[in-house]
Amino acid sequence: MKKSIITMMLALVTMTGLAQTKTATVIGYSPALKDGTLVFAGTGGTAPVVDTVQAGHFAYTLPVEKFTESTLSFLGDGCPNSHTVIFLRPDVTVKVTGNDCLNPLWKVESPIPEQQTQNRLTEYCHDVLTEKMQMDLAKESREKRDSVMMILMKQQMDILPSLPVDAATIRTLYGISRWATNRKDFPHMEQLKEVEKAIAARAPKGFEDQLAEIHTYVCPREEQQIAEELSGNESVFFKKYDDVAPENILQTIIDKYKGKAVLIDMWETWCGPCRAGHKTMAPMKEQMKGQNIQFVYIASPSSNPTIWQEMIKDIDGDHYYLTEEQNHYILHHFESRGVPTYAIYDTKGHQTYKNIGFPGTDVIRKELEAASK
């Protein structure tokens, strides 16, 4: 009898916990999707496999505590390397349907106002989005794809001023500003500045941080000014190694720390998992202070220098802002195609560890302690 009561109490606790978990559901269908196509979806920068397509159908449920942005993508024959933006809130059900594999163009039925804004953006840019995905599937050159992206950015800027200022609008403006700032020949910068000004003037409360970051992309400070501001910081190397050949840059950096274990953290300001890794490692770094260990962070011009300068203030360690060629060489050396990428060197300058993606603080701590002996 006593055992039965305990079992019932545990079941009640479990049921209560499940009842308190807030979720949202997405249901989808496209006859063009082949059986076995993997469905990826998630929030907060992570998108694990959540279902497998069967007879064109898929469905998944995500934990959602409040209004949030999520993504949906597929891995299978004919599926583009693109994702659908789906806004969610607790207890909502969203339906997505299409007749092909180009999921960013599918119909998204949702009661959420921000999704209506996103749908209007998609509809307005339908033709150029189609061309972009077809070029991706055909693996066209970056130059050709960039020319289509330029048209897409222009179309988005044309419609943005007529849309409500909400999460979908701000998200799109952020993407345009980031893309534009990395291209010195962007021909629509004046229009972008006008659109940014107009949206900032109409924006409701809650978007201050996003708008401030967008402004730094649209109106960045001169690099000479940034260099002067950082000149007295002995832990920051902003363009100080531009004259080092790409094949020598990694060894040049490692040689500075002979006698110490070194963690190399390849990251970019726009990389969500990179930033999450910094935050997760902060307590570990504090605990390891005083040990024979140096943390080294490497970024490239794909990171806006103004944003980079602000972000590194909260990341303890030495910071290097390298050229694209230098950065590419290091990633190639580590057999990595992107960030975050981590490598550890021992006190003699020998590489002892490498990982693409954040492996967790326990692994990093263990490898650093071993390398520092």
Side-chain angles (χ1 to χ4, degrees), residues 17 19 25 30 55 58-59 65 94 105 133 157 160 204 232 306 340 347:
T25 301
S30 173
F58 62 91
E65 290 297 319
V94 176
L105 299 174
M133 285 183 282
M157 285 191 291
L160 279 178
T306 304
T347 57

Side-chain angles (χ1 to χ4, degrees), residues 89-152:
R89 66 176 182 233
D91 303 321
V92 75
T93 297
V94 176
K95 185 178 180 181
V96 293
T97 53
N99 295 313
D100 51 33
C101 292
L102 306 182
N103 55 285
L105 299 174
W106 289 358
K107 182 179 181 181
V108 182
E109 300 176 65
S110 169
I112 299 175
E114 288 82 357
Q115 193 67 54
Q116 311 311 316
T117 303
Q118 186 65 43
N119 291 347
R120 287 177 64 184
L121 273 160
T122 300
E123 183 179 354
Y124 188 82
C125 302
H126 183 279
D127 291 346
V128 69
L129 281 169
T130 302
E131 184 179 1
K132 174 185 176 298
M133 285 183 282
Q134 289 174 342
M135 292 183 76
D136 288 341
L137 287 170
K139 298 181 179 180
E140 295 283 2
S141 67
R142 178 176 177 177
E143 183 180 10
K144 290 183 179 180
R145 284 180 288 146
D146 277 1
S147 66
V148 174
M149 279 296 295
M150 194 78 74
I151 298 172
L152 176 60

